[in-house]
Amino acid sequence: QLLKITRNFSPQVIAGVSWYKERGLSNISTGGVLILVILKTIQTNMTKMRDKYLHTNCLATLANMSSKFHSFHPYVAEKVLNLFTTIVKKYTKMRNSLLGVGSELTPPDSTVEYWESELGTLEDIIRMFLEIFNNSICHSGKNNPVLLYELLHKRDIFLPFQTHPAFSELVINIESILGHLTTKLEEKTESQGASVSVDCVMEVIEEVVRQWPEDKLQKGAQLKFEYVEEEKADDFFLPYIWTLLFSNSNLYWDTSRITLKV
């Protein structure tokens, strides 16, 4: 939310992250670590808690950072696109089922209203991700060739959105630069007479983003979301924090003396 913190936070590189268990991480920015934590929170929320409020706040945090994304770690870029791809596939399957295409849905509450609500939530998440990609390309694309590489690698996932009424405007910039990159790579492949290596692809991307005219992008205002605290927020947060301490601190608590309830 605070631009000064966001600007200074992303580029700082740390040698390693010992507490991250999914894989070893080295030479990753503090911003990259924060993105991984947010992505993990979104994944956990989607499978367990299903709290729309938490989704909104996580995505708003990413959106506020997106114009200052800097030096994406390859693993971070891969995780961002993998999560986006998973959400898009889930949305597509659900939408097709509601339209009578493909397999039927078998929800715990098998009402049309239930799945329309779920579909609306996924549509909001996809829209936020597209705005994040678009904002990053417009305002910090030159600092993120690795993210552009991953977007190019997963380009097919964006193609259906070109004609989607809710998403078509959000993919104009994405398709513009990815289309240009594809053309340049095809020219490179023809000149070499063989497929290009990953290093060669990165060289092409870095050259393109250096020379890319900014007037070819439809720039909008930088995304900025602000957290507005509701009245009596302590009534929720204090019991919630104490519940987390009770459940995860491995300390003994006399349950007969606990009075705070969520």
Side-chain angles (χ1 to χ4, degrees):
Q1 184 170 322
L2 297 176
L3 185 59
K4 184 178 180 180
I5 294 175
T6 303
R7 185 185 297 117
N8 294 332
F9 190 61
S10 294
Q12 298 175 14
V13 175
I14 51 181
V17 187
S18 59
W19 50 264
Y20 191 79
K21 303 303 181 184
E22 290 191 13
R23 59 156 284 176
L25 293 174
S26 59
N27 298 321
I28 184 172
S29 69
T30 47
V33 175
L34 176 58
I35 292 169
L36 288 177
V37 171
I38 293 172
L39 293 176
K40 187 66 176 178
T41 303
I42 293 172
Q43 286 178 307
T44 303
N45 189 44
M46 287 185 68
T47 56
K48 295 181 180 179
M49 297 176 287
R50 305 174 69 82
D51 183 343
K52 186 177 180 180
Y53 178 82
L54 183 56
H55 272 328
T56 301
N57 280 278
C58 286
L59 290 168
T61 302
L62 286 178
N64 285 351
M65 295 174 63
S66 62
S67 63
K68 303 300 177 185
F69 282 161
H70 197 288
S71 304
F72 251 72
H73 191 281
Y75 179 68
V76 177
E78 180 184 340
K79 292 289 284 186
V80 171
L81 268 296
N82 283 349
L83 178 58
F84 178 69
T85 301
T86 299
I87 293 168
V88 170
K89 287 180 177 178
K90 185 175 181 180
Y91 169 81
T92 302
K93 181 179 179 181
M94 191 181 297
R95 187 169 182 262
N96 287 342
S97 296
L98 283 171
L99 294 173
V101 181
S103 59
E104 293 184 0
L105 295 166
T106 54
D109 178 3
S110 54
T111 63
V112 173
E113 290 79 11
Y114 172 88
W115 283 112
E116 286 179 343
S117 175
E118 289 290 295
L119 192 70
T121 298
L122 289 176
E123 192 169 291
D124 290 341
I125 294 172
I126 291 171
R127 184 181 293 106
M128 282 290 290
F129 266 107
L130 292 175
E131 288 179 343
I132 288 165
F133 295 144
N134 190 59
N135 201 47
S136 177
I137 287 171
C138 287
H139 299 286
S140 62
K142 294 180 180 180
N143 297 323
N144 292 292
V146 172
L147 178 59
L148 286 172
Y149 173 87
E150 199 63 33
L151 288 169
L152 187 63
H153 181 61
K154 296 287 180 67
R155 186 186 179 189
D156 288 350
I157 203 72
F158 298 99
L159 295 179
F161 295 148
Q162 294 183 47
T163 55
H164 194 294
F167 304 134
S168 56
E169 290 187 3
L170 295 172
V171 296
I172 292 174
N173 287 331
I174 297 171
E175 274 303 311
S176 177
I177 194 164
L178 294 186
H180 186 69
L181 285 171
T182 300
T183 301
K184 290 295 184 182
L185 287 169
E186 288 172 350
E187 292 173 357
K188 190 78 171 179
T189 301
E190 289 178 6
S191 66
Q192 291 187 353
S195 59
V196 294
S197 65
V198 173
D199 290 339
C200 185
V201 173
M202 287 301 300
E203 288 176 6
V204 171
I205 291 173
E206 289 170 0
E207 181 181 352
V208 166
V209 295
R210 281 197 302 268
Q211 300 175 356
W212 183 259
E214 292 189 0
D215 59 2
K216 284 193 174 183
L217 297 176
Q218 297 184 9
K219 274 195 175 184
Q222 294 186 20
L223 296 176
K224 185 177 181 182
F225 294 88
E226 294 187 3
Y227 173 72
V228 179
E229 191 171 281
E230 296 182 6
E231 290 186 20
K232 298 183 179 179
D234 292 353
D235 290 349
F236 167 78
F237 284 109
L238 284 178
Y240 180 70
I241 292 169
W242 275 109
T243 299
L244 292 177
L245 290 170
F246 174 76
S247 303
N248 302 295
S249 65
N250 295 320
L251 297 174
Y252 170 74
W253 301 88
D254 183 352
T255 55
S256 66
R257 304 184 68 178
I258 294 176
T259 57
L260 284 172
K261 301 293 183 183
V262 178

